[in-house]
Amino acid sequence: MVRKKTTVKAVNAVSFKIMPQETLGVVGESGCGKSTLARAVLGLYPPNSGEIHYQDQRIDRLSPQQMLPFRKKMQMIFQDPYASLNPRMTVNKILAEPVYFHNKSISAQAAKDKVAEVMRQVGVDPAWAGRYPHEFSGGQRQRISIARALMVDPEFVVADEPVSALDVSIQAQILNLMMEAQEKRGLTYMFITHDLSVVKHISTRVAVMYLGTICELAPTQTLYEQPTHPYTRALLSAIPELGVQKPKHLKLKGEVPTPINLPSGCVFHGRCIYANERCTVEIPRLIEQDSGAYVACHGVEEKRI
Amino acid sequence: MSHLLEVKDLEVNFALWSGELTAIDGISFSLDRGERLGIVGESGAGKSVTGFAIINLISRPGYISGGKILFEDQELNRLPEDEMRAIRGNRISMIFQDPMMTLNPVLTIATQMTETVLAHEDVSKAEAMDIALEKLKKVHIPSPEKRLQQYPHECSGGMRQRIVIAIALLTNPGLIIADEPTTALDVTIQAEIMDLLLELCESEKMGLILITHDLGVVSQITEKIVVMYAGKIVESGSTTSVVQNPQHPYTQGLIKALPGIIPPGSRLNQIPGMMPNLTEIPRGCAFHPRCTISDTICSTDVPALISKEQQGRLVACHMIK
Ligand SMILES: Nc1ncnc2c1ncn2[C@@H]1O[C@H](COP(=O)(O)OP(=O)(O)OP(=O)(O)O)[C@@H](O)[C@H]1O
Ligand code: SF4
Ligand SMILES: [Mg+2]
């Protein structure tokens, strides 16, 4: 089997890899740069510095033409199925388009069969292929965007908040569908969300982001059982739990700075109760811990936390 | 003593060109002084319409087509608009998902807050400013004097929502209706706002109606819960008992579908199908096409919301004893 890996140099200048068939969850609060990271990984945004490799090939400097074979292998699913599906196209057209784009010589019948096959796989009746997106519910539309991503048999799918706009009961349907597609097709996912219980459920490993940097990256169980970075701890303690009356979350101080006006040193220092002099000047690097987690925190490195 | 709020057989219709739609179909619940109630359910269930109906703010083509709303012994749905306006934003305050529904972008926080005070109380400008400052302190806004001079856009989303809550407090309301107040906010900020609402309800003896689709949030700070489906209440009771031991198949489905209660990576429990449109609400129990325990009676007869074996609980289901 080909070992494929994607490498991203985040702001704190540390690389991470996504392993074949794993689900890398990316969590963090709104505006922390999750979507930017996703687009950079797919080569949609050129990174300011750093490199992106896909299956040992560097892809961040490729021309659109050279990028074409990679585009087919890497697909994206967006949060808002309303905005990401062209309202003037029938579902059939939406789904057939990427097929024609990557295979100019495919026959109309073959394309149609492929559309029907994938629609069936995502649980939308192929008889509805002639309908327009607005004729479907939110959950069905998200199924159709998943179908569109699967049309070209990708290896790697980046899903940016794919269930955030959906109700719980529909969310469960879509997450199940994504887990099934992964098993059947051996897909690799990068799954971006702000929902900590969703990410816990489906990820192999989790990266926690704060203001454009990764503060912790760890296998899912390790992260949830022993969160190490002060921000990860605060985040996990804030998850509302069913039937727990009084919230006992860890309080952060200060206010969230804007990404335009990034703090010096550790971007989290203004909100961190453990911050010292060093934290305000020196950017912490991601350092591997005994637990297997990577943590970017001076306090952890100095064993103060 | 009578309740702070009593909603009795409330019905809200929308008169559309295609015909009359019933968005709220005969719901009843009550709230005492200082009590906190959560209204949960999926998108389109009628949670927001219920909130707006209480303050008589249903806009056309919608209208209250039946039932009563009693608040502090007044029948709100019969009040003339000028009397209703004296209650709205005064005895009852509403907080929305988007703080900018309440805040004026071109006025400083100080101006907006003192204007509200002056409209409701006979005080001097300086006194109004003192009241504004006091309320900002109550919602734990750091350096409140500085904040007063700022415009809404200079504040983060969480800070804006705190300011909205401070504005709500200006008139010492008896009831706050919060419609998805933290849905647009991040988890850590959400937790802080929920803490704040809980603290204020207790210290100011305010009633709270918290409208949200997030069962986790509701279970943190409310004492009572109402679960809505397709314009009706399907289950109600004390929050802890409903969340820990749901009776109605829909409530059970909602709770079982949450990730976090089953081992990571396993298939989530899904409720088949989806909530119907108002135009095509099924006959009998509106939930029957999605229900796993339904019987023939479910597709013909509407189940009443009644007390079952589980104490202090109301359930609308033919099959639950
Ligand atoms: N102006 C309107 N005209 C027609 N129907 C309306 C109007 N406003 C609301 N409705 C309908 O009333 C029903 C209840 O809507 P409501 O906004 O109360 O839902 P909700 O439970 O608050 O949902 P959400 O979680 O999405 O906020 C919906 O089916 C909606 O389509
Ligand atoms: S009344 Fe019937 S269909 Fe409705 S929830 Fe109960 S069992 Fe299910
Ligand atoms: Mg609503």
Side-chain angles (χ1 to χ4, degrees), chain B residues 193-309:
Chain B
I193 299 279
M194 286 301 148
D195 266 7
L196 175 66
L197 284 174
L198 178 59
E199 178 193 322
L200 293 172
C201 285
E202 284 174 350
S203 67
E204 317 290 299
K205 273 255 161 279
M206 273 182 330
L208 174 73
I209 295 181
L210 179 65
I211 296 174
T212 171
H213 64 277
D214 191 328
L215 275 159
V217 167
V218 161
S219 81
Q220 277 185 315
I221 70 159
T222 65
E223 300 151 298
K224 295 206 296 197
I225 193 172
V226 156
V227 184
M228 290 189 68
Y229 186 81
K232 280 197 164 71
I233 296 177
V234 294
E235 181 161 6
S236 68
S238 96
T239 306
T240 334
S241 86
V242 170
V243 160
Q244 285 172 357
N245 186 13
Q247 301 282 300
H248 194 281
Y250 176 64
T251 321
Q252 289 182 350
L254 273 186
I255 289 171
K256 278 202 259 164
L258 292 173
I261 56 161
I262 56 167
S266 52
R267 291 290 176 272
L268 294 161
N269 301 299
Q270 50 188 61
I271 307 178
M274 59 193 145
M275 187 148 72
N277 276 330
L278 291 186
T279 46
E280 43 202 41
I281 291 186
R283 259 166 59 85
C285 170
F287 188 63
H288 85 256
R290 304 178 72 185
C291 185
T292 48
I293 61 161
S294 65
D295 206 337
T296 44
I297 184 176
C298 303
S299 53
T300 52
D301 294 18
V302 177
L305 182 69
I306 50 174
S307 174
K308 305 273 176 168
E309 274 175 9

Side-chain angles (χ1 to χ4, degrees), chain A residues 78-135:
Chain A
F78 298 91
Q79 166 170 6
D80 187 356
Y82 299 72
S84 64
L85 300 175
N86 187 335
R88 274 184 280 278
M89 283 195 195
T90 62
V91 167
N92 184 50
K93 216 158 169 213
I94 291 171
L95 296 183
E97 199 178 42
V99 178
Y100 284 117
F101 184 73
H102 289 288
N103 181 357
K104 308 266 186 279
S105 60
I106 191 169
S107 74
Q109 189 55 48
K112 212 174 156 199
D113 290 348
K114 179 86 191 171
V115 167
E117 176 199 327
V118 176
M119 281 184 79
R120 227 172 280 120
Q121 283 174 8
V122 301
V124 181
D125 188 344
W128 293 2
R131 299 193 185 190
Y132 290 88
H134 74 261
E135 298 176 71

Side-chain angles (χ1 to χ4, degrees), chain A residues 167, chain B residues 14 16 21 23-24 41-50 59-62 179-180 211 213 278:
Chain A
D167 275 320
Chain B
F14 285 92
L16 303 180
L21 285 186
I24 302 295
E42 295 184 291
S43 192
K47 306 180 297 292
S48 297
V49 170
T50 303
S59 48
R60 274 193 299 192
D179 190 351
E180 309 268 4
I211 296 174
H213 64 277
L278 291 186

